[in-house]
Amino acid sequence: MRIATWNINSLRARTERVVAFLDRHQVDVLALQEIKAKPAQLVLDPLLEAGYEVAAHGLNQWNGVALISRVGLADVRRELPAVPTWPEEPGGVVEARAISAVVGDGLRIWSLYVPNGREIDHPHYAYKLRWLEALRAEGARELAQDPAARAVLCGDFNVAPQDEDVWSMEFFEGRTHVTEPERAAFRAVVEAGYADLVRPEHPGPGVYTYWDYQALRFPKKEGMRIDFLLGSPAVQAATTGSFIDREERKGKGASDHAPVVVDVDL
DNA sequence: ATGACACCTCTCAGGTGA
């Protein structure tokens, strides 16, 4: 089974790119982030005609996640348990940043869009850390219930776990994505039992999944590795290969993120 | 070996992204 994650930066603006990507690589399950739409706003016919089912979760023009599968889509769950609201005060809402379903032969796949954090002294940064803790707790709960669980956490984690995951640590000095608390929150998810399925085959430096639209970051190879597929032990053991589809970042109308693809023998 | 921000909406300005 071939699974992928991709921050699409508006599904409505790039539905045809998604269909072409699924066809080009024969992807079975795709986790999308930043669909930037309510489900009712989406025109899904091209995906349905290509043989896929879609489960989308979006509340407004911000955030939004979806799962696209041609190997089943059962027991869909929206939101993470115990996730903080934004803002973290009365009147705050649970944003559309998580959706999961069971695909294929009992694989629970999550599509996750971790909050950006904005600036280190911004309330959004504390929200990001608590959101990651809610993810760790849910991941730990699943493996405590069944250590052999087939589970994969896919998405835009908005954390560069290592210095080599950004094009310049000098550039990111004092900015989010590279701070120790964010990295510790990411490591806590890994230490709960979810291994990076791509890094062993594609170590850095210079391996990225995101390039800013501005300042010629992509042709200058100035990117960040912030999109990950983290697998439970059963999924890690079944992983047979992976790649980052850099070609998809090229040309007019590209998302600023590239898809990340993993093959699992499940 | 790639291309000079781009998406959204309470739209021509502001919020968000990283």
Side-chain angles (χ1 to χ4, degrees):
Chain A
M1 177 164 49
R2 175 162 280 183
I3 60 182
T5 187
W6 191 6
N7 180 319
I8 194 64
N9 186 21
S10 171
L11 178 52
R12 281 177 290 178
R14 270 177 267 286
T15 303
E16 293 309 321
R17 270 190 180 254
V18 170
V19 172
F21 165 75
L22 292 168
D23 180 62
R24 183 165 71 254
H25 295 299
Q26 289 298 299
V27 173
D28 294 305
V29 187
L30 173 61
L32 289 175
Q33 302 86 40
E34 283 210 87
I35 66 169
K36 291 189 169 180
K38 303 172 193 175
Q41 295 176 295
L42 301 171
V43 177
L44 300 174
D45 299 353
L47 290 162
L48 303 177
E49 289 164 9
Y52 290 85
E53 298 173 78
V54 181
H57 180 33
L59 302 175
N60 49 42
Q61 70 270 44
W62 310 124
N63 317 311
V65 285
L67 290 167
I68 299 173
S69 171
R70 64 177 184 187
V71 290
L73 208 49
D75 190 21
V76 175
R77 299 179 190 167
R78 291 171 174 81
E79 320 293 5
L80 280 167
V83 78
T85 63
W86 177 256
E88 293 188 277
E89 54 196 47
V93 300
V94 174
E95 297 183 302
R97 294 180 177 276
I99 187 171
S100 83
V102 175
V103 301
D105 187 11
L107 173 66
R108 169 140 322 255
I109 182 168
W110 284 91
S111 181
L112 305 160
Y113 181 46
V114 177
N116 170 290
R118 300 184 187 171
E119 294 164 20
I120 294 172
D121 58 358
H122 194 285
H124 210 258
Y125 178 82
Y127 168 57
K128 176 181 193 173
L129 296 180
R130 279 190 272 273
W131 201 97
L132 281 164
E133 165 53 21
L135 174 61
R136 182 210 62 78
E138 171 59 17
R141 186 203 60 73
E142 174 110 27
L143 282 177
Q145 187 178 63
D146 177 10
R150 296 173 169 183
V152 60
L153 311 177
C154 307
D156 176 357
F157 283 73
N158 269 322
V159 177
Q162 301 180 17
D163 287 356
E164 67 175 29
D165 296 333
V166 296
W167 62 276
S168 165
M169 278 301 290
E170 289 71 28
F171 180 85
F172 282 94
E173 176 69 31
R175 302 180 191 235
T176 60
H177 292 62
V178 299
T179 68
E180 182 48 33
E182 291 167 282
R183 289 178 170 178
F186 181 88
R187 278 199 305 274
V189 177
V190 174
E191 286 164 6
Y194 295 87
D196 188 328
L197 302 178
V198 178
R199 194 185 295 272
E201 186 178 352
H202 302 284
V207 176
Y208 305 129
T209 64
Y210 163 86
W211 300 260
D212 198 303
Y213 285 123
Q214 302 183 64
L216 285 171
R217 292 284 184 234
F218 182 60
K220 289 162 76 174
K221 304 184 189 305
E222 295 176 344
M224 309 173 74
R225 190 205 290 248
I226 54 176
D227 299 272
F228 300 96
L229 295 96
L230 306 182
S232 67
V235 174
Q236 183 187 22
T239 297
T240 58
S242 63
F243 65 94
I244 298 165
D245 186 11
R246 280 189 77 260
E247 292 298 310
E248 187 52 59
R249 179 62 180 77
K250 298 179 182 176
K252 183 177 171 61
S255 169
D256 43 2
H257 294 249
V260 186
V261 183
V262 165
D263 290 318
V264 291
D265 185 14
L266 286 175

